[in-house]
Amino acid sequence: MIKCYLRVSLLMLLRSHLVLRCVVELEMEREENNYISRLKRRGCWRKLKLLLGSLIDSQEVFNVIPQKNVGLWNNLIAFYMKYEHYERALEFFKQMQLEGITHDTITYACSLKACSNISAIHKGNEIHCVIEKASFVDKNSVIGNVLVYMYAKNGFLTQAQQLFDRHPIQSVGLWTVLISGYVEHQHDDKALICFEHMRIHGISPDAITYICILKALGKFGALEKGMRIHDEIKRNGLSNDLSVGNALIGMYMRCRLFVRARDAFDNLPMHDTLSWTSLLAGYAENGHAVEALKCFKQMQLEGVSPDILTFACTMKACGIIKSTRKGKEIHAMIESTSFLKQVP
């Protein structure tokens, strides 16, 4: 056991030396702003991330360290978060409490995000209460951001709005988190009001904001407003953004303006599965089965793989035109994939 501990200690000492060396190199390059310096900094950061990651790449290594500070606990929690083991991350948060380790911003942020991702709102509320008692929310913008995200993502929109209103720095990202929460939980009217308030406060939307608001406009069938937003997107140079373009296709299809949807599709520099599926679904949902099947054929020719929604819309198109032959052909394609195994 002693030999094992000595080996671990020597290994960590060596790695700590290498980490320190990387930090010194970064500090030496910090003041320079030329291309070579940027490349050097990038290389140092990559090495530093690898070294720091290796400090916690084994639970056994962590366990033999006799005195664990908050930084080591945070690294372990972040490690499990990275690989989506959110329950395990929360177990370590609880263990920290039991061992009397004082939490910091990173601990709280990681734990709240874990609660958000597994919808553990009861646990999230408990952590929120602890944070409130420590007066972290009003003092720390990072904690405020994560709390708004947790409540908005899980549909607790009143709490999300209250925390947002208290937040000292209402950035475009924070506005977008709130708008996204309203849209995802079917409060599209409130999302649009929030979007207008964002403008009044002088905050410019980014690509993700536009994607959220286009979804809300499509569900409302607010074509005129959607077209104005589209013009704004063009002025801001975002019309070639794939995700924004896909949102435009979806918005126009919901508003049944097929020509505009096709134009938005054709103006994209490339097409992914969502691009094709948005177009195909719009045609199929509105009875334009022949156009939907043409899209599916062209999608295959371009080598873009369909997903389960693409297949569902294509089968619907086959049903509309009563094409048993085409339906069997699509069914055979589905059988050759793993999609049927995914259906409960």
Side-chain angles (χ1 to χ4, degrees):
M1 179 63 187
I2 294 173
K3 289 182 179 179
C4 176
Y5 177 73
L6 286 173
R7 282 198 298 270
V8 170
S9 298
L10 286 169
L11 180 61
M12 292 189 70
L13 184 63
L14 175 61
R15 287 171 178 168
S16 298
H17 170 72
L18 292 172
V19 167
L20 181 60
R21 184 175 171 181
C22 283
V23 171
V24 171
E25 286 179 30
L26 283 166
E27 184 63 25
M28 289 173 66
E29 300 294 337
R30 186 172 62 84
E31 299 300 327
E32 298 181 34
N33 197 31
N34 54 55
Y35 179 70
I36 298 298
S37 177
R38 288 198 298 273
L39 285 179
K40 285 181 182 178
R41 288 201 302 275
R42 203 173 301 162
C44 284
W45 277 117
R46 277 198 293 266
K47 284 191 287 183
L48 191 56
K49 287 178 181 177
L50 286 170
L51 288 164
L52 289 173
S54 68
L55 289 174
I56 55 167
D57 62 359
S58 165
Q59 183 68 58
E60 289 77 16
V61 171
F62 181 82
N63 289 339
V64 300
I65 300 170
Q67 293 183 339
K68 308 173 185 74
N69 61 23
V70 66
L72 280 173
W73 281 101
N74 287 344
N75 281 335
L76 190 65
I77 290 170
F79 174 75
Y80 281 102
M81 291 285 294
K82 180 181 178 181
Y83 293 99
E84 300 182 1
H85 295 292
Y86 303 119
E87 292 90 350
R88 193 77 173 122
L90 289 172
E91 286 175 16
F92 284 115
F93 176 82
K94 185 177 180 180
Q95 189 62 34
M96 282 182 75
Q97 289 179 304
L98 294 174
E99 295 193 15
I101 306 296
T102 303
H103 303 129
D104 64 8
T105 299
I106 297 171
T107 323
Y108 286 128
C110 287
S111 302
L112 288 168
K113 189 173 180 183
C115 292
S116 176
N117 289 338
I118 59 173
S119 298
I121 296 301
H122 180 69
K123 181 63 178 176
N125 277 329
E126 288 180 5
I127 297 171
H128 182 188
C129 289
V130 173
I131 292 168
E132 288 283 6
K133 287 178 182 177
S135 302
F136 254 88
V137 177
D138 296 321
K139 294 177 182 177
N140 194 300
S141 61
V142 173
I143 296 297
N145 287 346
V146 181
L147 279 167
V148 174
Y149 171 79
M150 181 185 74
Y151 286 120
K153 182 180 178 182
N154 289 281
F156 292 80
L157 298 167
T158 301
Q159 291 92 326
Q161 183 71 63
Q162 288 171 350
L163 284 161
F164 175 87
D165 292 339
R166 286 171 55 188
H167 206 288
I169 305 171
Q170 296 173 343
S171 64
V172 61
L174 196 62
W175 279 99
T176 302
V177 164
L178 192 61
I179 290 169
S180 175
Y182 281 127
V183 173
E184 292 304 316
H185 295 282
Q186 317 307 319
H187 294 278
D188 303 295
D189 53 340
K190 290 184 179 179
L192 294 172
I193 292 168
C194 196
F195 183 72
E196 292 306 323
H197 285 171
M198 176 181 171
R199 290 176 177 282
I200 292 167
H201 284 80
I203 306 296
S204 298
D206 62 11
I208 302 172
T209 322
Y210 283 126
I211 291 165
C212 293
I213 212 65
L214 285 168
K215 186 174 181 179
L217 292 168
K219 287 193 280 186
F220 261 119
L223 179 59
E224 186 178 340
K225 176 73 171 174
M227 291 173 73
R228 287 203 301 271
I229 295 293
H230 189 181
D231 290 338
E232 185 179 315
I233 287 168
K234 288 178 182 176
R235 289 195 300 272
N236 291 336
L238 290 171
S239 54
N240 288 333
D241 182 284
L242 183 60
S243 297
V244 174
N246 290 343
L248 282 166
I249 295 164
M251 186 272 293
Y252 281 126
M253 278 299 186
R254 281 179 177 267
C255 295
R256 300 184 179 182
L257 200 59
F258 306 115
V259 175
R260 282 272 192 159
R262 185 74 208 201
D263 286 345
F265 178 88
D266 291 337
N267 286 331
L268 286 173
M270 61 172 290
H271 306 118
D272 62 3
T273 301
L274 182 57
S275 312
W276 283 105
T277 303
S278 298
L279 198 65
L280 195 155
Y283 285 131
E285 289 297 323
N286 290 283
H288 297 273
V290 174
E291 286 299 321
L293 292 172
K294 283 181 182 177
C295 282
F296 184 72
K297 184 177 181 179
Q298 188 62 38
M299 179 182 182
Q300 290 178 289
L301 291 173
E302 289 196 11
V304 180
S305 299
D307 61 14
I308 194 165
L309 181 58
T310 319
F311 281 127
C313 295
T314 308
M315 291 295 284
K316 181 172 184 174
C318 293
I320 291 170
I321 61 173
K322 296 180 171 60
S323 176
T324 306
R325 181 190 62 79
K326 188 66 178 174
K328 287 181 177 179
E329 183 184 317
I330 302 298
H331 187 192
M333 290 178 64
I334 296 170
E335 289 279 7
S336 68
T337 69
S338 60
F339 288 129
L340 284 180
K341 295 177 183 177
Q342 299 172 17
V343 179

